Amino acid sequence: MAGKKKSSTQPDAAMQAATLKRFERAQAACHAVISAFDGFETDGGFEAREPAYKYAQMCRVYAKKLRNSKVLSSADFDIAVGLCTAARRALHLLDAELVFAGLPQAEALQAMAPLAYGVLDDNFKLGGPNSKRPRPF
C-alpha cells in the first residue's frame, strides 16, 4: 500500500490566520459603525436626514443578526458586509466627500468610515483578480 502524502499545514494555517484576522476586522468595523451611528443619532444628527437614517437602521438590523455581536464564520462575515454596505450608503448621504464638517460626531464618523470600507475591500479581494463581488468604492 502506497503511503499517503501529507499535505503541508502551513498554507492551511496561514489561510486560517488570514480568515481570523478578516473576521476580527469585520467585527471591529461592525462595533464602530453601530457606536458611531448611535452617538450620531443621540446628538440629533439624523434630523432632516431621513434616507441616511434608514440606512443606519439597516445597519442595526444586520447587527442583530450577528450572534453575540461577533463575526465567527463566513456567514457572519457576509452579514458584516451587508452592515458595512448600508453604512457606506448612509455615510455618502451624510457627506459624499466623507468630511462630515459641521456634523455632530464627525470624528467618530471619520474613524468608522475606513473600517467599514476595509471590510468591503476584504470582501472584494476574496473574489480574486476576476472578482464579481461589488467594488467597495
Side-chain angles (χ1 to χ4, degrees):
M1 215 158 103
K4 292 184 179 179
K5 288 185 180 179
K6 292 184 179 180
S7 63
S8 174
T9 59
Q10 292 295 13
D12 292 333
M15 184 180 285
Q16 186 176 16
T19 300
L20 289 176
K21 286 198 181 281
R22 185 175 69 242
F23 290 170
E24 288 172 7
R25 287 191 303 267
Q27 183 174 322
C30 290
H31 288 289
V33 166
I34 297 302
S35 176
F37 282 153
D38 283 347
F40 189 69
E41 183 178 12
T42 302
D43 289 345
F46 285 117
E47 292 176 8
R49 294 180 179 93
E50 185 68 24
Y53 178 70
K54 288 182 180 181
Y55 281 117
Q57 289 298 97
M58 282 305 303
C59 290
R60 290 185 180 102
V61 169
Y62 281 116
K64 287 182 181 182
K65 291 181 180 183
L66 289 174
R67 295 172 285 172
N68 299 323
S69 300
K70 296 186 179 197
V71 178
L72 302 171
S73 67
S74 294
D76 293 337
F77 182 75
D78 290 341
I79 293 169
V81 168
L83 187 148
C84 291
T85 300
R88 177 184 59 119
R89 290 175 178 158
L91 291 172
H92 275 276
L93 287 170
L94 292 172
D95 185 354
E97 297 177 10
L98 303 179
V99 177
F100 311 113
L103 293 178
Q105 301 286 327
E107 291 177 9
L109 295 173
Q110 288 172 338
M112 173 259 289
L115 296 174
Y117 275 80
V119 171
L120 298 175
D121 192 42
D122 285 345
N123 182 52
F124 178 73
K125 289 178 183 175
L126 283 174
N130 297 322
S131 180
K132 292 185 180 181
R133 294 172 187 253
R135 291 193 178 274
F137 310 111

